[in-house]
Amino acid sequence: MARIDHRSQRGRTGTRVALMCAAIGALLVSGCSSAASLPEQPHPAEEIREDIETIFGTLYGEDAVRAMLVQQHGELVYEQYLEATAEDTWDVRGVTRAVTSTLIGIAMDRGLISGVDATLGQLLPSYAAVLTPETAAIQLKAVLTHTANFASTSEERDIRGIAADLYAQPDWVAAILADRAVRGPGDGRFLFSDMGTHILAAVVAEATGMSPFRFADEVLFDPLDIDTAPVWEERFAPGGDPQELLREYQEAEVAWPADPQGVNLGYTHLRLRATDLLRFGQLMLDEGVWDEEQVVSATWAVQATSPVVATVGYGTISYGYQWWVDPQRGVFYAQGEGGTAVVVDPVRDAVAVIASEVTVDDVRGNHGFASATAVGLAALLLADLPANAE
């Protein structure tokens, strides 16, 4: 991967300090430590390699891991593939949410969406028939932050990735909006919802006049030199066999399944390479700049990855616009069920990616290598890097 130019200053540096270990902190005696407390090493890669050996000797499910990448100052520090190559693609699961959020930001930059205060009534006029006055008034910001009371979902769920009864619906977006109308406004607190994230994908489709995948290909993947040919975005269909569709999906390269209307699943099943995720993390680290091009505005990149709301049930972790944020420890991240994570450390000017393989016939479901464990592994590897060193 080519080195990219970095700016000397980032607005977030100083806002986020230290690092988090997540689940791994409880498993390793050493936990997370500051760069100053780490023993001197000829190269961080050696310490990273030692940590991986220790971790994999402790955790269950490490056999699902296929790629581990660490980059600092735009240079690869560590790269390892297990029963895989750099060209292999993986279902990144929940990391898809952060991509959908970025598409919202780019659409906003281009004037296709007026702002985060825009309402669903304004953003989804083709669904006016199923919007009640209350649901029509829901602001985009509430959907981005999981505070709009869409149906809750668990981060650790079956590979199908969605409630089975939604497969039978001829229009998923209409069904989600109708369900939300019945549920009512809730109390405005954080309630993690994949259904809400799919509404974000529908907003992208409505604003741009194209599928989220096609829009992403034009405004995000192409600028980042992410090869998506041939495009695979087959649709789920009422009465169809979702398991068979997902088997076809696993034979594809870059892919993103869609609902019956052609809206790609905003919350899951985007299929990318581990190096693609590294590029995406670097883009957000550099506040939306890639190869001297402002792909998404710095305003959006910073807002999306900064604390916007407090979470419920996730300890002290905050939430931005489809990104998890730990302001006390200084990282933001996207995580995917089954063990995929993109963790960004602005203080160390670094990104770590863990990509894991979860297949349709994996009897372990999502519990072989949990998303929080992947985040913890990535964060621990970042802690091996020197802080503020060129």
Side-chain angles (χ1 to χ4, degrees), residues 137-178:
I138 295 172
Q139 292 185 327
L140 180 60
K141 182 177 181 178
V143 187
L144 284 163
T145 56
H146 295 297
T147 56
N149 201 40
F150 284 95
S152 63
T153 46
S154 171
E155 285 247 288
E156 304 297 338
R157 62 178 184 272
D158 186 80
I159 182 66
R160 292 175 302 174
I162 189 170
D165 59 356
L166 200 57
Y167 287 123
Q169 301 298 323
D171 189 325
W172 290 15
V173 174
I176 293 168
L177 293 172

Short mmCIF file of all heavy atoms in Angstrom, two decimals, residues 137-178:
data_model
loop_
_atom_site.label_atom_id
_atom_site.label_comp_id
_atom_site.label_asym_id
_atom_site.label_seq_id
_atom_site.Cartn_x
_atom_site.Cartn_y
_atom_site.Cartn_z
N ALA A 137 -41.37 13.18 11.84
CA ALA A 137 -40.60 14.23 12.51
C ALA A 137 -39.27 13.75 13.08
O ALA A 137 -38.50 14.55 13.60
CB ALA A 137 -41.45 14.83 13.64
N ILE A 138 -39.00 12.45 12.97
CA ILE A 138 -37.72 11.93 13.48
C ILE A 138 -36.57 12.56 12.71
O ILE A 138 -36.56 12.57 11.47
CB ILE A 138 -37.67 10.39 13.34
CG1 ILE A 138 -38.72 9.73 14.24
CG2 ILE A 138 -36.27 9.87 13.69
CD1 ILE A 138 -38.86 8.24 14.01
N GLN A 139 -35.59 13.07 13.43
CA GLN A 139 -34.45 13.71 12.78
C GLN A 139 -33.37 12.68 12.42
O GLN A 139 -33.19 11.66 13.10
CB GLN A 139 -33.85 14.79 13.68
CG GLN A 139 -34.76 16.00 13.87
CD GLN A 139 -34.10 17.09 14.66
OE1 GLN A 139 -33.30 16.84 15.57
NE2 GLN A 139 -34.42 18.33 14.34
N LEU A 140 -32.64 12.97 11.36
CA LEU A 140 -31.57 12.09 10.89
C LEU A 140 -30.55 11.84 12.00
O LEU A 140 -30.05 10.72 12.15
CB LEU A 140 -30.89 12.73 9.68
CG LEU A 140 -29.74 11.96 9.03
CD1 LEU A 140 -30.20 10.59 8.55
CD2 LEU A 140 -29.14 12.76 7.90
N LYS A 141 -30.25 12.85 12.80
CA LYS A 141 -29.28 12.69 13.88
C LYS A 141 -29.69 11.59 14.84
O LYS A 141 -28.84 10.82 15.32
CB LYS A 141 -29.11 14.02 14.62
CG LYS A 141 -28.08 13.98 15.74
CD LYS A 141 -27.92 15.34 16.40
CE LYS A 141 -26.87 15.31 17.50
NZ LYS A 141 -26.69 16.66 18.10
N ALA A 142 -30.99 11.49 15.13
CA ALA A 142 -31.46 10.46 16.04
C ALA A 142 -31.26 9.06 15.45
O ALA A 142 -30.94 8.11 16.17
CB ALA A 142 -32.93 10.68 16.38
N VAL A 143 -31.44 8.93 14.14
CA VAL A 143 -31.23 7.62 13.50
C VAL A 143 -29.75 7.29 13.48
O VAL A 143 -29.35 6.15 13.74
CB VAL A 143 -31.81 7.62 12.07
CG1 VAL A 143 -31.74 6.22 11.48
CG2 VAL A 143 -33.25 8.12 12.06
N LEU A 144 -28.90 8.26 13.21
CA LEU A 144 -27.46 8.04 13.19
C LEU A 144 -26.92 7.59 14.53
O LEU A 144 -25.95 6.83 14.60
CB LEU A 144 -26.74 9.33 12.77
CG LEU A 144 -26.79 9.70 11.29
CD1 LEU A 144 -26.43 11.17 11.09
CD2 LEU A 144 -25.83 8.80 10.48
N THR A 145 -27.53 8.03 15.61
CA THR A 145 -27.03 7.77 16.96
C THR A 145 -27.82 6.70 17.71
O THR A 145 -27.63 6.52 18.91
CB THR A 145 -27.03 9.06 17.80
OG1 THR A 145 -28.36 9.61 17.81
CG2 THR A 145 -26.06 10.09 17.22
N HIS A 146 -28.72 6.00 17.03
CA HIS A 146 -29.53 4.95 17.66
C HIS A 146 -30.36 5.48 18.83
O HIS A 146 -30.51 4.81 19.85
CB HIS A 146 -28.64 3.80 18.15
CG HIS A 146 -27.94 3.06 17.07
ND1 HIS A 146 -28.60 2.34 16.09
CD2 HIS A 146 -26.61 2.90 16.81
CE1 HIS A 146 -27.71 1.78 15.28
NE2 HIS A 146 -26.50 2.12 15.68
N THR A 147 -30.88 6.65 18.68
CA THR A 147 -31.75 7.21 19.73
C THR A 147 -33.16 7.46 19.23
O THR A 147 -33.93 8.19 19.86
CB THR A 147 -31.15 8.53 20.28
OG1 THR A 147 -30.95 9.45 19.20
CG2 THR A 147 -29.83 8.28 20.98
N ALA A 148 -33.53 6.85 18.09
CA ALA A 148 -34.85 7.07 17.49
C ALA A 148 -35.84 5.96 17.81
O ALA A 148 -36.96 5.96 17.30
CB ALA A 148 -34.71 7.20 15.97
N ASN A 149 -35.44 4.99 18.63
CA ASN A 149 -36.31 3.91 19.10
C ASN A 149 -36.76 2.95 18.00
O ASN A 149 -37.85 2.40 18.05
CB ASN A 149 -37.55 4.45 19.83
CG ASN A 149 -38.17 3.39 20.75
OD1 ASN A 149 -37.44 2.64 21.42
ND2 ASN A 149 -39.49 3.33 20.79
N PHE A 150 -35.90 2.73 17.01
CA PHE A 150 -36.15 1.62 16.10
C PHE A 150 -35.89 0.32 16.85
O PHE A 150 -35.20 0.31 17.88
CB PHE A 150 -35.27 1.73 14.86
CG PHE A 150 -35.75 2.77 13.88
CD1 PHE A 150 -35.23 4.05 13.90
CD2 PHE A 150 -36.74 2.46 12.96
CE1 PHE A 150 -35.67 5.02 13.00
CE2 PHE A 150 -37.20 3.42 12.06
CZ PHE A 150 -36.67 4.70 12.09
N ALA A 151 -36.42 -0.79 16.34
CA ALA A 151 -36.34 -2.06 17.04
C ALA A 151 -34.89 -2.41 17.39
O ALA A 151 -33.99 -2.28 16.56
CB ALA A 151 -36.95 -3.17 16.18
N SER A 152 -34.69 -2.85 18.60
CA SER A 152 -33.34 -3.15 19.07
C SER A 152 -32.82 -4.43 18.44
O SER A 152 -33.58 -5.33 18.05
CB SER A 152 -33.33 -3.31 20.60
OG SER A 152 -34.14 -4.39 20.99
N THR A 153 -31.52 -4.51 18.31
CA THR A 153 -30.85 -5.69 17.79
C THR A 153 -29.59 -5.92 18.59
O THR A 153 -29.05 -5.00 19.20
CB THR A 153 -30.47 -5.54 16.31
OG1 THR A 153 -29.88 -4.25 16.11
CG2 THR A 153 -31.67 -5.69 15.41
N SER A 154 -29.12 -7.16 18.59
CA SER A 154 -27.90 -7.51 19.32
C SER A 154 -26.72 -7.50 18.37
O SER A 154 -26.83 -7.90 17.21
CB SER A 154 -28.04 -8.89 19.95
OG SER A 154 -26.80 -9.33 20.48
N GLU A 155 -25.57 -7.10 18.88
CA GLU A 155 -24.35 -7.13 18.07
C GLU A 155 -23.93 -8.57 17.77
O GLU A 155 -23.27 -8.84 16.79
CB GLU A 155 -23.22 -6.43 18.82
CG GLU A 155 -23.36 -4.94 18.81
CD GLU A 155 -22.26 -4.31 18.00
OE1 GLU A 155 -21.14 -4.30 18.48
OE2 GLU A 155 -22.54 -3.83 16.90
N GLU A 156 -24.30 -9.50 18.64
CA GLU A 156 -23.92 -10.89 18.44
C GLU A 156 -25.17 -11.67 18.05
O GLU A 156 -26.00 -12.00 18.86
CB GLU A 156 -23.32 -11.47 19.74
CG GLU A 156 -22.14 -10.68 20.26
CD GLU A 156 -20.96 -10.69 19.30
OE1 GLU A 156 -20.89 -11.59 18.45
OE2 GLU A 156 -20.12 -9.79 19.41
N ARG A 157 -25.32 -11.94 16.77
CA ARG A 157 -26.53 -12.58 16.30
C ARG A 157 -26.23 -13.59 15.21
O ARG A 157 -25.10 -13.70 14.75
CB ARG A 157 -27.51 -11.54 15.77
CG ARG A 157 -26.98 -10.76 14.58
CD ARG A 157 -28.00 -9.76 14.07
NE ARG A 157 -27.48 -9.13 12.88
CZ ARG A 157 -26.73 -8.04 12.89
NH1 ARG A 157 -26.42 -7.48 14.02
NH2 ARG A 157 -26.28 -7.52 11.78
N ASP A 158 -27.24 -14.28 14.79
CA ASP A 158 -27.10 -15.31 13.78
C ASP A 158 -26.54 -14.73 12.48
O ASP A 158 -26.75 -13.56 12.17
CB ASP A 158 -28.46 -15.97 13.52
CG ASP A 158 -28.36 -17.15 12.59
OD1 ASP A 158 -27.97 -18.23 13.04
OD2 ASP A 158 -28.67 -16.97 11.40
N ILE A 159 -25.85 -15.57 11.70
CA ILE A 159 -25.21 -15.13 10.47
C ILE A 159 -26.19 -14.49 9.51
O ILE A 159 -25.84 -13.65 8.69
CB ILE A 159 -24.48 -16.31 9.79
CG1 ILE A 159 -23.76 -15.87 8.51
CG2 ILE A 159 -25.42 -17.45 9.46
CD1 ILE A 159 -22.64 -14.94 8.72
N ARG A 160 -27.48 -14.86 9.59
CA ARG A 160 -28.45 -14.25 8.69
C ARG A 160 -28.52 -12.75 8.89
O ARG A 160 -28.86 -12.00 7.99
CB ARG A 160 -29.83 -14.87 8.92
CG ARG A 160 -29.93 -16.33 8.50
CD ARG A 160 -31.28 -16.90 8.87
NE ARG A 160 -31.54 -16.78 10.30
CZ ARG A 160 -32.71 -17.09 10.86
NH1 ARG A 160 -33.70 -17.51 10.13
NH2 ARG A 160 -32.87 -16.97 12.16
N GLY A 161 -28.22 -12.30 10.11
CA GLY A 161 -28.03 -10.89 10.34
C GLY A 161 -29.28 -10.04 10.43
O GLY A 161 -29.19 -8.82 10.45
N ILE A 162 -30.45 -10.63 10.46
CA ILE A 162 -31.67 -9.84 10.48
C ILE A 162 -32.81 -10.71 10.98
O ILE A 162 -32.78 -11.94 10.86
CB ILE A 162 -31.99 -9.30 9.06
CG1 ILE A 162 -33.12 -8.29 9.09
CG2 ILE A 162 -32.31 -10.41 8.10
CD1 ILE A 162 -33.30 -7.57 7.77
N ALA A 163 -33.82 -10.08 11.55
CA ALA A 163 -34.98 -10.84 12.00
C ALA A 163 -35.60 -11.60 10.83
O ALA A 163 -35.82 -11.06 9.75
CB ALA A 163 -36.01 -9.91 12.62
N ALA A 164 -35.87 -12.91 11.05
CA ALA A 164 -36.31 -13.76 9.94
C ALA A 164 -37.59 -13.25 9.29
O ALA A 164 -37.77 -13.39 8.09
CB ALA A 164 -36.50 -15.18 10.44
N ASP A 165 -38.50 -12.66 10.07
CA ASP A 165 -39.78 -12.26 9.49
C ASP A 165 -39.64 -11.10 8.51
O ASP A 165 -40.52 -10.85 7.70
CB ASP A 165 -40.80 -11.91 10.58
CG ASP A 165 -40.33 -10.79 11.49
OD1 ASP A 165 -39.19 -10.31 11.33
OD2 ASP A 165 -41.11 -10.39 12.37
N LEU A 166 -38.53 -10.37 8.53
CA LEU A 166 -38.34 -9.29 7.58
C LEU A 166 -38.13 -9.83 6.16
O LEU A 166 -38.44 -9.15 5.19
CB LEU A 166 -37.16 -8.41 8.01
CG LEU A 166 -37.11 -7.01 7.41
CD1 LEU A 166 -38.37 -6.22 7.71
CD2 LEU A 166 -35.90 -6.26 7.92
N TYR A 167 -37.59 -11.06 6.06
CA TYR A 167 -37.38 -11.65 4.74
C TYR A 167 -38.69 -11.78 3.97
O TYR A 167 -38.71 -11.77 2.74
CB TYR A 167 -36.75 -13.04 4.86
CG TYR A 167 -35.30 -13.03 5.27
CD1 TYR A 167 -34.88 -13.70 6.41
CD2 TYR A 167 -34.35 -12.34 4.53
CE1 TYR A 167 -33.55 -13.71 6.79
CE2 TYR A 167 -33.03 -12.33 4.91
CZ TYR A 167 -32.63 -13.02 6.04
OH TYR A 167 -31.32 -13.02 6.42
N ALA A 168 -39.80 -11.94 4.69
CA ALA A 168 -41.09 -12.16 4.03
C ALA A 168 -41.73 -10.85 3.56
O ALA A 168 -42.74 -10.88 2.86
CB ALA A 168 -42.04 -12.89 4.98
N GLN A 169 -41.14 -9.71 3.93
CA GLN A 169 -41.74 -8.42 3.61
C GLN A 169 -41.39 -8.00 2.18
O GLN A 169 -40.23 -8.08 1.78
CB GLN A 169 -41.26 -7.36 4.59
CG GLN A 169 -41.59 -7.65 6.04
CD GLN A 169 -43.08 -7.74 6.29
OE1 GLN A 169 -43.87 -6.99 5.69
NE2 GLN A 169 -43.48 -8.63 7.18
N PRO A 170 -42.35 -7.52 1.43
CA PRO A 170 -42.04 -7.04 0.07
C PRO A 170 -41.28 -5.72 0.06
O PRO A 170 -40.60 -5.39 -0.91
CB PRO A 170 -43.43 -6.88 -0.56
CG PRO A 170 -44.35 -6.65 0.59
CD PRO A 170 -43.79 -7.46 1.72
N ASP A 171 -41.38 -4.95 1.16
CA ASP A 171 -40.69 -3.66 1.25
C ASP A 171 -40.16 -3.52 2.67
O ASP A 171 -40.90 -3.26 3.60
CB ASP A 171 -41.65 -2.51 0.92
CG ASP A 171 -40.93 -1.17 0.78
OD1 ASP A 171 -39.95 -0.94 1.53
OD2 ASP A 171 -41.35 -0.35 -0.05
N TRP A 172 -38.85 -3.73 2.83
CA TRP A 172 -38.26 -3.72 4.17
C TRP A 172 -38.35 -2.34 4.82
O TRP A 172 -38.64 -2.23 6.01
CB TRP A 172 -36.81 -4.15 4.09
CG TRP A 172 -36.60 -5.59 3.77
CD1 TRP A 172 -37.52 -6.47 3.26
CD2 TRP A 172 -35.39 -6.31 3.92
NE1 TRP A 172 -36.95 -7.70 3.09
CE2 TRP A 172 -35.64 -7.64 3.48
CE3 TRP A 172 -34.11 -5.99 4.37
CZ2 TRP A 172 -34.66 -8.63 3.49
CZ3 TRP A 172 -33.12 -6.97 4.37
CH2 TRP A 172 -33.40 -8.28 3.95
N VAL A 173 -38.10 -1.30 4.06
CA VAL A 173 -38.10 0.04 4.63
C VAL A 173 -39.50 0.39 5.14
O VAL A 173 -39.66 0.91 6.25
CB VAL A 173 -37.61 1.07 3.60
CG1 VAL A 173 -37.76 2.49 4.14
CG2 VAL A 173 -36.15 0.78 3.24
N ALA A 174 -40.52 0.08 4.35
CA ALA A 174 -41.90 0.33 4.79
C ALA A 174 -42.22 -0.46 6.05
O ALA A 174 -42.86 0.06 6.98
CB ALA A 174 -42.88 -0.03 3.67
N ALA A 175 -41.77 -1.70 6.11
CA ALA A 175 -42.04 -2.54 7.28
C ALA A 175 -41.34 -1.99 8.52
O ALA A 175 -41.91 -1.98 9.62
CB ALA A 175 -41.60 -3.97 7.01
N ILE A 176 -40.10 -1.52 8.37
CA ILE A 176 -39.36 -0.96 9.50
C ILE A 176 -40.02 0.31 10.00
O ILE A 176 -40.17 0.53 11.21
CB ILE A 176 -37.90 -0.69 9.09
CG1 ILE A 176 -37.17 -2.02 8.81
CG2 ILE A 176 -37.17 0.10 10.17
CD1 ILE A 176 -35.83 -1.85 8.13
N LEU A 177 -40.44 1.17 9.08
CA LEU A 177 -41.10 2.42 9.47
C LEU A 177 -42.45 2.15 10.15
O LEU A 177 -42.80 2.82 11.13
CB LEU A 177 -41.29 3.31 8.25
CG LEU A 177 -40.00 3.86 7.62
CD1 LEU A 177 -40.32 4.57 6.31
CD2 LEU A 177 -39.28 4.81 8.59
N ALA A 178 -43.19 1.16 9.63
CA ALA A 178 -44.48 0.82 10.24
C ALA A 178 -44.27 0.27 11.64
O ALA A 178 -45.03 0.59 12.57
CB ALA A 178 -45.22 -0.18 9.36
#
